[in-house]
Amino acid sequence: LKFDLRIYVLVTSVEPLRIYLLDEGLARFATVEYTAPSADNLHTRNMHLTNYSVNKRAENYVFAESNPNAGSKRRLTSVLSSLEREGHDIGALRERIEQLVVKTVLTIEPQLAHTYYMACGRTSQLGKDGRRKEKSSRCFELLGFDVLLDQNLQPWLMEVNHSPSFGTDTALDAEIKGTAIHDAIKSLGLDVRKRRAFIGQQLKQQSER
């Protein structure tokens, strides 16, 4: 069966650029056995498309709760483990996926940084010693990279979702997507005391106007 990978990528800063690949993601399978495109099967959507929205109503769609290792939507790590048992070099595959993600984000970094600076100002400032000192970033992005593997396990980028769906139709969705959000917030190192101090400062400025 044809499948693609949903890789969750966290960008926490544009200056300096910081990118994190989350360990867990999703693998989404088509529901009709794949054969090379031809005039006879070109319109068989459930063979060529891996979208959950396309396949979820198919009669042979398998929900992960009934078979977590053979479902039509599975954990990324489960699929990688299966490939490793077949003798594939998963370490090399992960490196190729990392390079794909980094190069993709680098291509949009100038526009991303410009948009951030226009909204929030620069994330660093020059100190008295002439060195640039970093300030805390005010924004982050949790992106969804859709990646297709060919027969040689070469990853190909299909698209980057700026606002990936965090809908939870199944328990697997809730687990994977909930963990992605939890890990993103944890990685940001949010401190409730800083938030309270910021709100207090804003209220003080408003009262002085």
Side-chain angles (χ1 to χ4, degrees), residues 28 50-56 61 63 73 169-170 173:
R28 300 167 298 191
T50 57
N51 308 58
Y52 172 65
S53 58
V54 172
N55 288 280
K56 65 181 180 180
Y61 188 91
F63 285 91
K73 184 186 289 187
D169 288 355
T170 67
D173 284 319

Side-chain angles (χ1 to χ4, degrees), residues 161-180:
N161 292 272
H162 178 262
S163 299
S165 169
F166 286 103
T168 53
D169 288 355
T170 67
L172 179 64
D173 284 319
E175 176 189 344
I176 302 302
K177 297 176 182 181
T179 300

Side-chain angles (χ1 to χ4, degrees), residues 68-87:
N69 295 317
S72 298
K73 184 186 289 187
R74 311 177 198 176
R75 293 180 182 83
L76 168 65
T77 52
S78 173
V79 172
L80 294 181
S81 294
S82 296
L83 292 173
E84 189 170 36
R85 287 194 295 272
E86 294 176 3

